[in-house]
Amino acid sequence: MKRILVTGGAGFIGSHLCERLLDAGHEVLCVDNFYTGARRNVAHLMGHPAFELMRHDVTFPLFVEVDEIYNLACPASPIHYQYDPVQTTKTSVHGAINMLGLAKRRRAKIFQASTSEVYGDPTMHPQREEYWGNVNPIGLRSCYDEGKRCAETLFFDYHRQHKVRIKVARIFNTYGPRMHPNDGRVVSNFIVQALKNQPITLYGHGEQTRSFCFVDDLVEAILRLMATGDEVTGPVNLGNPGEFTIRALAEAVIRLTGSSSQIEFRPLPSDDPQQRQPDIALARNMLGWEPAIGLEAGLVRTIAYFDELLRNDAA
Ligand code: NAD
Ligand code: UDP
Ligand code: UDP
């Protein structure tokens, strides 16, 4: 049994990770400032004797005694990370410094939730870990992209300079229950719009592509990465290589919800990547992992979650 810190643990991915770690018999300290996360996401864990929830902002130092750290704290959707871009960069950069300082002091293994956004609007397709990316340093997405890139730099420098054991994953679009209903991400937007029979807001012509990974598959990969030997540092791509146009996603959501919603075209946001698909050969070889849950099966489970959420909100 280990004492494990999960920063951003009351968020979408973090809450699923806390659950899996508790199931495996570990003690979990969930740290979150509730910027985009919510107590609701971990309410079902509150009675668990091995679970502790702490309100804390990772841009400030944190002195706790733990054996492993999963650093997930950071707003992840464009609406939220662009709302206070300076805080977004601080969270990635100062948050990484503090968590790496903690890992160094405790000699704890530390996982970093990096992102496919480090590839920017990629000119290499699909994206492999060797690709250095095509990122605008001064655009609206830069607070997130460059913040996460700098966090990767810090992880590798703490590893080289201080021998901190690091595990860096570049996570591609992930979806599932407990996504924030108003965070503007495409899967949650389309599902909520479809369930309310409101217009489906398709940005651009909908020909841009993304690859969507169901959260249970992602969490399994994160746990396998953390269990690898100390020589494994990453970065490793984690995601589902199935590539879909956003228009195809809209059509699937309408069909699976039986909605009467119509598609409504809206302008494409700036710096919106045209294509994104992970090359997961490294994860396959190193972790013996690949996603098991296809888009339709994952959407059905996510739709069920939002359906219940909307019913309860309406009640
Ligand atoms: P989320 O917004 O649901 O979770 C992030 C959590 O971090 C929230 O609970 C939020 O309150 C917390 N947080 C934000 N700033 C904080 C701070 N300064 N101090 C403490 N807590 C803070 O998003 P998510 O989708 O669960 O993302 C989790 C991690 O995975 C993020 O680091 C994100 O960048 C990364 N990621 C997610 C995706 C995806 O598709 N969901 C893709 C790539 C990377
Ligand atoms: N830090 C922390 N918790 C710890 C140890 C360090 O939050 O348990 C913070 C510390 O306050 C510092 C940062 O992590 O701001 C980086 O720590 P490091 O030891 O690398 O740097 P230094 O303290 O020498 O600046
Ligand atoms: N998108 C869309 N309608 C929406 C929300 C998003 O067409 O209501 C598009 C968006 O322009 C992008 C894709 O869906 O091309 C994925 O957007 P999201 O914000 O979920 O993730 P990211 O751009 O970070 O991959």
Side-chain angles (χ1 to χ4, degrees):
M1 187 186 92
K2 297 186 188 114
R3 289 167 300 176
I4 301 180
L5 167 62
V6 180
T7 77
F12 158 51
I13 298 172
S15 63
H16 289 274
L17 180 61
C18 288
E19 214 169 85
R20 284 288 305 269
L21 292 169
L22 288 169
D23 285 349
H26 300 297
E27 232 173 68
V28 174
L29 172 59
C30 170
V31 161
D32 207 296
N33 69 349
F34 305 117
Y35 183 61
T36 50
R39 270 183 208 76
R40 176 180 70 216
N41 289 338
V42 288
H44 60 298
L45 306 177
M46 295 298 267
H48 197 297
F51 182 75
E52 190 180 349
L53 176 62
M54 180 183 192
R55 178 195 282 268
H56 173 79
D57 182 329
V58 294
T59 62
F60 296 100
L62 176 66
F63 288 84
V64 290
E65 306 312 307
V66 292
D67 311 307
E68 271 183 7
I69 304 165
Y70 290 84
N71 188 37
L72 276 69
C74 186
S77 78
I79 288 184
H80 285 135
Y81 71 64
Q82 290 170 17
Y83 175 74
D84 187 349
V86 173
Q87 172 68 12
T88 299
T89 306
K90 280 186 187 170
T91 293
S92 275
V93 176
H94 294 188
I97 292 172
N98 288 326
M99 291 309 107
L100 285 161
L102 172 59
K104 182 180 113 188
R105 180 178 64 78
R106 286 290 312 159
R107 297 188 208 292
K109 212 182 330 186
I110 180 166
F111 166 89
Q112 168 66 359
S114 190
T115 167
S116 54
E117 288 282 314
V118 300
Y119 300 123
D121 192 356
T123 54
M124 178 198 251
H125 196 75
Q127 291 83 55
R128 295 169 55 87
E129 289 83 352
E130 297 79 47
Y131 180 51
W132 289 353
N134 178 34
V135 175
N136 175 359
I138 57 168
L140 296 178
R141 294 175 88 108
S142 311
C143 59
Y144 184 71
D145 300 7
E146 297 289 19
K148 288 284 190 179
R149 285 170 69 97
C150 185
E152 285 200 10
T153 307
L154 285 160
F155 268 72
F156 278 84
D157 281 333
Y158 267 80
H159 174 66
R160 284 185 286 252
Q161 197 176 331
H162 299 301
K163 308 282 175 285
V164 171
R165 293 176 294 154
I166 60 163
K167 308 281 176 192
V168 176
R170 292 182 179 152
I171 300 169
F172 284 65
N173 297 62
T174 299
Y175 71 100
R178 302 197 206 115
M179 288 183 93
H180 197 297
N182 303 320
D183 74 2
R185 277 189 274 191
V186 69
V187 173
S188 42
N189 263 14
F190 285 3
I191 291 178
V192 170
Q193 290 162 348
L195 289 172
K196 292 181 168 174
N197 293 308
Q198 291 172 349
I200 304 283
T201 53
L202 192 62
Y203 302 161
H205 301 294
E207 298 308 318
Q208 70 272 37
T209 68
R210 292 292 187 275
S211 306
F212 299 100
C213 185
F214 190 68
V215 63
D216 291 3
D217 280 334
L218 178 78
V219 169
E220 176 63 30
I222 291 175
L223 295 171
R224 287 189 192 200
L225 175 60
M226 199 59 150
T228 53
D230 291 348
E231 72 290 355
V232 176
T233 57
V236 54
N237 288 339
L238 299 180
N240 190 323
E243 186 183 6
F244 299 87
T245 65
I246 299 301
R247 183 198 281 265
L249 176 74
E251 287 163 357
V253 169
I254 292 173
R255 180 166 43 81
L256 294 170
T257 49
S259 172
S260 62
S261 295
Q262 301 292 313
I263 291 177
E264 198 174 277
F265 292 91
R266 299 271 177 91
L268 193 66
S270 73
D271 293 340
D272 198 277
Q274 261 308 305
Q275 252 189 330
R276 195 186 285 143
Q277 184 195 25
D279 181 324
I280 60 163
L282 183 62
R284 276 202 182 100
N285 293 336
M286 212 168 57
L287 310 176
W289 168 86
E290 65 181 356
I293 301 157
L295 185 62
E296 282 219 8
L299 283 177
V300 167
R301 287 162 70 174
T302 313
I303 289 166
Y305 168 78
F306 279 110
D307 195 27
E308 196 182 328
L309 190 78
L310 294 180
R311 277 174 212 275
N312 289 342
D313 279 0

